[in-house]
Amino acid sequence: MSAAPSPDLTLILARTLTLDPHRPGAEAVLVGAGRVLAVGSREDLNALAPKAAVQDHRDLTLTPGLADAHIHLVGYGFSLSQLSLHGVGSVGELQRRLAGRAASLPAGSWIQGGGFLLSEMGLSDFPEAGLLDAVSPGHPALLYSRDLHLAWVNTAALARANIHAGTPDPQGGQIVRDSTGQPTGILLENACDLVAACLPSPTPAQTMGAARRGAADLAARGYVSAHTMAFEGPDAPRALATLAAQSELPLRIWACLPHERLHLARELGLGPGSGGLFEFGGVKFFADGALGSRTAWLHAPGFADGSGTGIALDSPQTIRELGREALELGFTPVTHAIGDRANTEVLDAYDALREEAAARGIRLRIEHAQHLRAQDVPRFAGLSVSAQPIHLQADGAMIRTLLPGLEATSYAFAALKRAGALLAFGSDAPVAPPDVQAGFRAALNRMGDDGLPLAPGEALSLPDVLHAFTRGPALAAGWADEGHIVPGARAAFTLWDRLEGPDNVGACRALVL
């Protein structure tokens, strides 16, 4: 190709990994008007555009820009100012953090936080509200477990929500009770909403602030795009769309509608593909809960501690029927499925949608796919699987304890890839931080926080992990112009200090031109 010499052109010099099978590596990339114009040697591109501005990064590695393929972006932005309970190793430590936050707030005001794991605190059973009352009697407290499928609340929060012995369990949720029927302070799945509904609604300005914080944090970590996964109020995507319209959004966003709002898209004639930095592209379903909350939907006999087979949420019939409507509007059905039974049921539902999806050029998509039966793995061929390697670090010990029969097929990245699934990796923030280096390490070495590897045969190679954080998410979103460095692609890159292996993944930053 040819390009007229122009100071509006930029020549990037770096060790470049293109993810283009026809030219895997290069020395230089020529960029103009937000697009890649040429890829090749330093000499050839210098000759092509001798007056281009030069960015010399020859001591760094340039790759396609990172994408977080599963995040709740505005919720993550809110979490950055809430009480962080990530890494608490005991109930006492959680109480100290809660007491500190209570001391800094006016009496009666809400405390919101999350990030704890029962297993990390040494608990084998659900704790009770009294442990929170001891340090925060005057502040209603709503504390989410790391997976967001369990909430631990104190007595003041139960009172604000008017939850008592006579309160029925909501559909798709459970109020955990003691032997007398009294609520203990643990709420599972949709029961969490009984307390969440009592929180003061954030103002539009607060939501915009959270959207800015979440997007800025992600961009600062080296990401150039994200898939935001609903499970947030309607003000969340509105805030991101507003930032995009104001040219204040540092990321490209592919957003999901909750399936409950699909009728609004149909009535308004909305479909995917805005051409800008924000678009709705998916319709989200939840087949089950999560491992740590004992709400993942499992085949019998269920959890090894006898706590049951989990909680089924959106029915397979709902996924089939509304999934077909989503496809007719051009949206991608996107279904959260963690337990092995949940994945079986979603695969069954998707079997009825595959022909329609293929005709429309849409990849059906499963989020997490954490725990699988071996016989179901081949059924993922042709699907997008959005997984979160960073989660296996904390989950390893729990899997060995709660799901020993599924250890070999948990986070089965290599097997899914061999089966023909498209892997698209993310963090699920605020469930886990969008820590690039930790995500890469987990996919490469599969080492749990307990120092033991989880199904080490499921480890991926560095090129495969890079693909799953770049090109995989782009393809899952239907973005042909992202996730690889080829002429015509979006000029959105990540620069790395080092990118050589599980113990040598260095700092990185985004470079968007």
Side-chain angles (χ1 to χ4, degrees), residues 117 127 168 170-171 181 200 227 244 266 271 281 330 336 338 373 469:
L117 279 178
Q171 183 175 0
H227 302 179
R266 184 171 55 249
H336 165 119
I338 285 183
R373 299 189 306 175
F469 272 108

Side-chain angles (χ1 to χ4, degrees), residues 27 96 106 132 137 153 165 168 186 236 278 291 390 408 425 450 482 485 496:
E27 296 177 327
R96 287 190 292 274
L132 305 183
V153 301
I186 293 294
F278 177 89
L291 171 65
I390 193 171
F425 284 167
D450 59 358
E482 186 144 334
I485 303 177
W496 303 78

Side-chain angles (χ1 to χ4, degrees), residues 62 110 126 170 199 234 247 266 278 298 365-366 369 371 388 486:
L62 185 79
W110 280 89
F126 293 133
L199 295 169
S247 300
R266 184 171 55 249
F278 177 89
L298 302 174
R365 178 166 167 163
I366 294 181
H371 314 294
Q388 300 74 44
V486 298

Side-chain angles (χ1 to χ4, degrees), residues 88-89 116-124 292 294 394-395 397-398 402:
V88 294
F116 67 86
L117 279 178
L118 299 179
S119 59
E120 286 187 349
M121 292 190 293
L123 297 176
S124 58
R294 314 297 200 274
D395 283 359
M398 283 193 291
L402 296 174

Side-chain angles (χ1 to χ4, degrees), residues 253-464:
I253 301 295
W254 188 85
C256 286
L257 285 166
H259 72 75
E260 296 89 350
R261 298 180 201 150
L262 179 58
H263 70 283
L264 298 175
R266 184 171 55 249
E267 291 164 7
L268 294 173
L270 298 179
S274 68
L277 286 179
F278 177 89
E279 67 171 298
F280 280 110
V283 173
K284 183 73 179 294
F285 302 88
F286 281 86
D288 68 341
L291 171 65
S293 301
R294 314 297 200 274
T295 56
W297 189 15
L298 302 174
H299 287 285
F303 291 101
D305 65 355
S307 55
T309 56
I311 295 178
L313 296 176
D314 295 328
S315 70
Q317 180 180 358
T318 295
I319 296 168
R320 281 194 303 272
E321 293 177 355
L322 293 184
R324 182 168 285 110
E325 290 188 33
L327 288 168
E328 290 170 356
L329 292 172
F331 291 106
T332 300
V334 175
T335 306
H336 165 119
I338 285 183
D340 63 339
R341 174 75 183 275
N343 280 279
T344 299
E345 297 288 344
V346 174
L347 289 166
D348 289 346
Y350 277 6
D351 281 346
L353 303 178
R354 285 179 185 262
E355 185 175 346
E356 176 81 10
R360 296 178 179 274
I362 293 173
R363 286 178 180 267
L364 300 169
R365 178 166 167 163
I366 294 181
E367 306 301 297
H368 313 303
Q370 278 182 201
H371 314 294
L372 308 174
R373 299 189 306 175
Q375 60 264 44
D376 281 335
V377 171
R379 303 177 65 197
F380 282 84
L383 304 184
S384 297
V385 174
S386 175
Q388 300 74 44
I390 193 171
H391 291 193
L392 73 80
Q393 295 175 326
D395 283 359
M398 283 193 291
I399 292 166
R400 280 183 277 275
T401 300
L402 296 174
L403 304 175
L406 294 175
E407 183 176 344
T409 48
S410 289
Y411 294 93
F413 303 146
L416 287 167
K417 184 178 184 300
R418 287 193 300 271
L422 174 72
L423 297 179
F425 284 167
S427 67
D428 204 8
V431 172
D435 184 329
V436 174
Q437 291 71 26
F440 268 70
R441 283 196 304 273
L444 291 166
N445 66 20
R446 301 187 58 92
M447 193 65 65
D449 289 340
D450 59 358
L452 298 174
L454 176 70
E458 292 297 327
L460 295 175
S461 68
L462 182 60
D464 287 341

Side-chain angles (χ1 to χ4, degrees), residues 23 36 63 139 194 203 208 237 319 337 380 409 467 471:
R23 187 195 290 269
V36 174
T63 70
H139 296 81
L194 300 176
T203 66
M208 285 293 291
I319 296 168
F380 282 84
T409 48
H467 189 280
R471 187 62 174 157

Side-chain angles (χ1 to χ4, degrees), residues 22-352:
H22 303 294
R23 187 195 290 269
E27 296 177 327
V29 180
L30 182 64
V31 172
R35 295 285 159 177
V36 174
L37 301 179
V39 181
S41 69
R42 177 188 177 191
E43 291 77 9
D44 287 348
L45 269 58
N46 261 328
L48 188 64
K51 293 185 179 180
V54 175
Q55 291 194 16
D56 193 339
H57 302 297
R58 279 177 286 179
D59 56 339
L60 304 177
T61 297
L62 185 79
T63 70
L66 290 167
D68 190 313
H70 187 116
I71 189 171
H72 308 276
L73 188 53
V74 178
Y76 175 58
F78 274 116
S79 77
L80 294 174
S81 61
Q82 294 173 354
L83 177 63
S84 174
L85 299 172
H86 282 270
V88 294
S90 66
V91 171
E93 184 180 352
L94 183 147
Q95 288 176 313
R96 287 190 292 274
R97 293 194 194 186
L98 178 59
R101 180 58 62 96
S104 68
L105 295 174
S109 56
W110 280 89
I111 297 175
Q112 299 178 64
F116 67 86
L117 279 178
L118 299 179
S119 59
E120 286 187 349
M121 292 190 293
L123 297 176
S124 58
D125 203 353
F126 293 133
E128 298 189 350
L131 293 169
L132 305 183
D133 297 341
V135 295
S136 180
H139 296 81
L142 172 60
L143 309 179
Y144 282 98
S145 65
R146 190 173 302 172
D147 56 33
L148 300 179
H149 292 261
L150 174 154
W152 185 8
V153 301
N154 62 359
T155 299
L158 291 170
R160 291 278 184 101
N162 195 28
I163 297 174
H164 49 76
T167 304
D169 288 342
Q171 183 175 0
Q174 180 185 350
I175 301 168
V176 177
R177 307 170 194 270
D178 63 19
S179 59
T180 69
Q182 293 295 328
T184 65
I186 293 294
L187 308 172
L188 302 177
E189 298 300 338
N190 292 342
C192 302
D193 296 339
L194 300 176
V195 172
C198 300
L199 295 169
S201 298
T203 66
Q206 289 170 330
T207 302
M208 285 293 291
R212 284 192 175 94
R213 285 193 301 274
D217 180 273
L218 211 60
R221 294 174 183 268
Y223 293 95
V224 304
S225 62
H227 302 179
T228 192
M229 287 286 122
F231 203 57
E232 300 176 299
D235 287 345
R238 187 180 301 125
L240 293 168
T242 299
L243 290 177
Q246 296 173 176
S247 300
E248 297 180 39
L249 189 62
L251 305 165
R252 187 179 187 180
I253 301 295
W254 188 85
C256 286
L257 285 166
H259 72 75
E260 296 89 350
R261 298 180 201 150
L262 179 58
H263 70 283
L264 298 175
R266 184 171 55 249
E267 291 164 7
L268 294 173
L270 298 179
S274 68
L277 286 179
F278 177 89
E279 67 171 298
F280 280 110
V283 173
K284 183 73 179 294
F285 302 88
F286 281 86
D288 68 341
L291 171 65
S293 301
R294 314 297 200 274
T295 56
W297 189 15
L298 302 174
H299 287 285
F303 291 101
D305 65 355
S307 55
T309 56
I311 295 178
L313 296 176
D314 295 328
S315 70
Q317 180 180 358
T318 295
I319 296 168
R320 281 194 303 272
E321 293 177 355
L322 293 184
R324 182 168 285 110
E325 290 188 33
L327 288 168
E328 290 170 356
L329 292 172
F331 291 106
T332 300
V334 175
T335 306
H336 165 119
I338 285 183
D340 63 339
R341 174 75 183 275
N343 280 279
T344 299
E345 297 288 344
V346 174
L347 289 166
D348 289 346
Y350 277 6
D351 281 346

